[in-house]
Amino acid sequence: MTDRPDPDQLFDVDMYRAVWPMGSEKIELISGHPLFYGMFDRVDVEAAERAFPGRPATIERWYGERGNLLLHASTCTPETCPEWPSEEF
């Protein structure tokens, strides 16, 4: 399998490319957090958290309950992570 970072680690560029080598034009790596652009919702958050156990995923809402999906390290919380989206949209 690929060299995925442990849940408490942020992604670096090599790990990011190992996990998403193709079709990653709608993904950006922001401060070690993969940001998936699109119309994601709560179901997508649950799928991302199953695919990457121990990592919380959040929605950066811009269209009602939908928006971009952000994958965090297990150590990230709303209080400690500058990339954690606000509840306002």
Side-chain angles (χ1 to χ4, degrees), residues 7-82:
D8 63 336
Q9 295 177 308
L10 296 172
F11 281 78
D12 65 22
V13 173
D14 291 332
M15 292 173 188
Y16 168 81
R17 287 186 178 148
V19 176
W20 294 283
M22 298 176 61
S24 60
E25 63 277 352
K26 295 211 177 205
I27 303 171
E28 192 171 337
L29 191 60
I30 299 179
S31 302
H33 298 77
L35 175 66
F36 301 83
Y37 291 100
M39 295 285 287
F40 297 100
D41 62 14
R42 187 73 206 146
V43 173
D44 299 304
V45 167
E46 293 168 3
E49 289 175 346
R50 281 193 309 271
F52 290 90
R55 290 182 175 274
T58 58
I59 297 290
E60 185 180 69
R61 295 188 280 178
W62 57 270
Y63 188 78
E65 294 296 315
R66 294 176 168 258
N68 302 325
L69 188 138
L70 192 60
L71 192 61
H72 302 275
S74 64
T75 55
C76 289
T77 66
E79 296 80 27
T80 63
C81 182

